Amino acid sequence: MTQAPAKRTFFALGRVENYTDAVFAIAATLLVLDLTTTAFGKISSDAELWHQLGAMWPSFMAFGVSSVLLGGLWVSHISQFRDIARADIVLLWLNNARLLFIVLIPFTTSLVSEYSDYYAGRVLLPVNFFFAMALGIATWFWAASKDGHLLKDEAKPDAPSQTVGSVTALIAGGVTVALSPWLGSWAFLTFAVSGPISGVLQKRRKATPSA
């Protein structure tokens, strides 16, 4: 007697998106706390205030870099879930693992501004972003696996191109981590070239005739 296949359980995608958006919003809000906790002491002139603000440039730079990259991770999340039709338990836990590193971003950002003279202060923020991005890519890979078993039907033909872009971004993230001990937050400029490279690779892939 043939045994019927086990019924798979799926979850409401809207709740996953709402929870994820809330975590991103909290992380983005907490980024500014490192700036607001700075104490200037007694200020007696405009010149002194401008001098104190100028001395905060590492904190402003870390805030700016983290805000841009956190925004990029959120845009990536939006793009992924635009093409995902349903969520299973594996996708839920991959997404939860990504959010673990998202909520750590305010902490590792504060290390950059306070301890940039030390190796750990320079490298932990890039490592944090790398794992957040890698887990986001793993979420997409899982959704697109098994012939796109979690994707919308109309998104399946473009899934390979998005996978190429994800791999390119992951490589850029690895290069950023490798360069960060010497360049600090400037190493994140490597992400500027990942987009054009991804575009070239996708065009070459489309131009290559199928076997």
Side-chain angles (χ1 to χ4, degrees), residues 121-171:
R122 295 189 299 272
V123 78
L124 286 180
L125 178 61
V127 168
N128 190 165
F129 268 106
F130 177 81
F131 279 107
M133 181 177 60
L135 285 161
I137 292 172
T139 301
W140 169 255
F141 275 26
W142 173 251
S145 65
K146 303 178 182 179
D147 296 322
H149 69 299
L150 297 181
L151 299 182
K152 297 176 181 177
D153 290 337
E154 61 269 24
K156 292 179 182 179
D158 293 329
S161 296
Q162 293 195 40
T163 300
V164 170
S166 297
V167 171
T168 305
L170 189 64
I171 293 172

Side-chain angles (χ1 to χ4, degrees), residues 5-35:
K7 184 179 179 181
R8 297 193 62 190
T9 301
F10 296 105
F11 301 90
L13 196 64
R15 297 193 66 180
V16 182
E17 292 179 288
N18 292 338
Y19 175 66
T20 304
D21 286 344
V23 172
F24 269 93
I26 291 170
T29 303
L30 291 177
L31 277 178
V32 78
L33 291 183
D34 188 45
L35 300 178

Side-chain angles (χ1 to χ4, degrees), residues 16-17 32 36 38 63 93 132 141 152 184 197 201 206 210-211:
V16 182
E17 292 179 288
V32 78
T36 59
T38 300
F63 171 76
W93 282 107
F141 275 26
K152 297 176 181 177
I197 292 175
L201 292 176
K206 291 179 180 179
S210 302

Side-chain angles (χ1 to χ4, degrees), residues 66-139:
S66 293
S67 295
V68 169
L69 293 175
L70 184 61
L73 289 173
W74 181 69
V75 169
S76 176
H77 154 69
I78 292 291
S79 300
Q80 288 178 355
F81 277 74
R82 175 194 59 198
D83 295 330
I84 294 175
R86 61 189 68 85
D88 63 3
I89 191 64
V90 176
L91 187 140
L92 288 183
W93 282 107
L94 285 171
N95 191 58
N96 285 341
R98 167 171 51 179
L99 295 180
L100 169 66
F101 288 95
I102 293 298
V103 296
L104 279 175
I105 287 173
F107 170 68
T108 51
T109 299
S110 69
L111 295 179
V112 173
S113 58
E114 294 183 32
Y115 303 104
S116 60
D117 292 337
Y118 301 100
Y119 177 86
R122 295 189 299 272
V123 78
L124 286 180
L125 178 61
V127 168
N128 190 165
F129 268 106
F130 177 81
F131 279 107
M133 181 177 60
L135 285 161
I137 292 172
T139 301

Side-chain angles (χ1 to χ4, degrees), residues 38-40 42-43 47-57 60:
T38 300
F40 290 152
K42 184 178 180 180
I43 299 293
E48 289 184 8
L49 179 57
W50 284 116
H51 174 75
Q52 293 290 345
L53 289 171
M56 287 180 61
W57 74 266
F60 284 118

